[in-house]
């Protein structure tokens, strides 16, 4: 898929079909993560891929704003090192690349950031040194996506040369 089309058509989806995502697609998603740049090329992040139904369920229970993850085919917990002041930027970049890599194969995804940290750390053995920053849920969409992005027009977002009030 053309890169722009991939970005323009990708919606954050929270309802998935039961169709399984192949190992090949999952590998591409993880490889896209690995290929993403980090501040100072620190590569401080780690990724927990969650595939077993029981663990997906546990992940959804450990969320505050991601209960929908229970219907995902697989999920990825993105861990970043908060010692780096740019770690949230790194998390955002890698999340987006994984989502776009999946969408290239028709696999959609959503993300959540609201989580029950203690429970999540316990259930997924997350070390103290790393922060569970973003969690992605992936799967084929439950239905044909007809939604349109709700976005502001460029005129209200872009300033030329200087910010204008
Ligand atoms: C930093 C960030 C945090 C988000 N947190 C959540 C979340 O906790 N739960 C959730 O369901 N969606 C979450 N989202 C998804 C947004 O709601 C979604 O990107 C936005 O509504 C646009 O969706 P669309 O691309 O499908 O139009 C988050 C997105 C971002 C970028």
């Amino acid at each position: 898929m053309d890169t722009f089309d991939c970005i323009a058509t990708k919606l954050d989806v929270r309802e998935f079909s039961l169709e399984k995502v192949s190992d090949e697609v999952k590998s591409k998603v993880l490889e896209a993560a690995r290929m993403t740049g980090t501040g100072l090329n620190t590569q401080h992040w780690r990724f927990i891929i969650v595939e077993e139904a029981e663990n997906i369920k546990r992940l959804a229970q450990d969320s505050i704003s991601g209960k929908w993850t229970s219907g995902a085919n697989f999920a990825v917990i993105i861990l970043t090192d908060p010692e780096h002041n740019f770690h949230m930027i790194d998390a955002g970049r890698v999340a987006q690349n994984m989502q776009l890599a999946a969408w290239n194969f028709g696999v959609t995804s959503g993300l959540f950031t609201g989580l029950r940290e203690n429970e999540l750390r316990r259930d997924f053995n997350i070390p103290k040194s790393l922060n569970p920053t973003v969690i992605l849920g992936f799967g084929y969409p439950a239905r044909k996506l007809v939604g349109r992005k709700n976005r502001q027009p460029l005129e209200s977002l872009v300033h030329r040369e200087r910010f204008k009030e």
Side-chain angles (χ1 to χ4, degrees):
M1 198 188 306
D2 169 83
T3 307
F4 180 81
D5 288 346
C6 197
I7 295 165
T9 58
K10 169 69 180 73
L11 292 165
D12 280 338
V13 167
R14 300 176 184 85
E15 285 178 276
F16 306 97
S17 79
L18 294 176
E19 188 179 344
K20 284 194 165 49
V21 177
S22 70
D23 286 344
E24 195 190 348
V25 171
K26 289 177 189 171
S27 296
K28 289 276 189 192
V29 168
L30 294 175
E31 197 57 23
R34 192 173 79 86
M35 288 296 162
T36 304
T38 41
L40 301 171
N41 200 20
T42 37
Q43 301 173 55
H44 54 91
W45 48 31
R46 295 294 179 270
F47 309 101
I48 303 176
I49 180 161
V50 183
E51 299 172 280
E52 290 179 19
E54 194 184 308
N55 291 332
I56 298 256
K57 210 168 130 194
R58 195 162 286 143
L59 184 61
Q61 282 165 358
D62 291 346
S63 86
I64 294 168
S65 53
K67 298 289 179 206
W68 49 265
T69 316
S70 60
N73 178 260
F74 74 102
V76 177
I77 306 172
I78 299 174
L79 307 173
T80 56
D81 182 349
E83 290 282 310
H84 299 296
N85 60 7
F86 44 75
H87 81 107
M88 301 280 267
I89 298 174
D90 289 338
R93 276 166 52 97
V94 78
Q96 182 76 3
N97 278 353
M98 292 168 99
Q99 291 192 285
L100 292 176
W103 184 229
N104 184 48
F105 297 99
V107 172
T108 192
S109 53
L111 70 150
F112 71 85
T113 48
L115 43 88
R116 297 182 204 285
E117 191 171 332
N118 292 340
E119 288 84 343
L120 191 82
R121 284 186 182 281
R122 179 199 62 206
D123 292 341
F124 295 92
N125 197 31
I126 297 170
K128 281 199 182 70
S129 58
L130 292 173
N131 197 60
T133 306
V134 184
I135 296 171
L136 302 171
F138 292 90
Y140 288 97
R143 58 186 70 85
K144 196 171 164 15
L145 299 175
V146 288
R148 299 190 57 188
K149 295 206 187 203
N150 173 14
R151 300 292 192 268
Q152 296 180 50
L154 268 187
E155 306 83 80
S156 60
L157 302 173
V158 179
H159 299 252
R160 300 208 181 265
E161 313 305 335
R162 297 167 63 88
F163 192 92
K164 296 183 187 79
E165 298 295 341

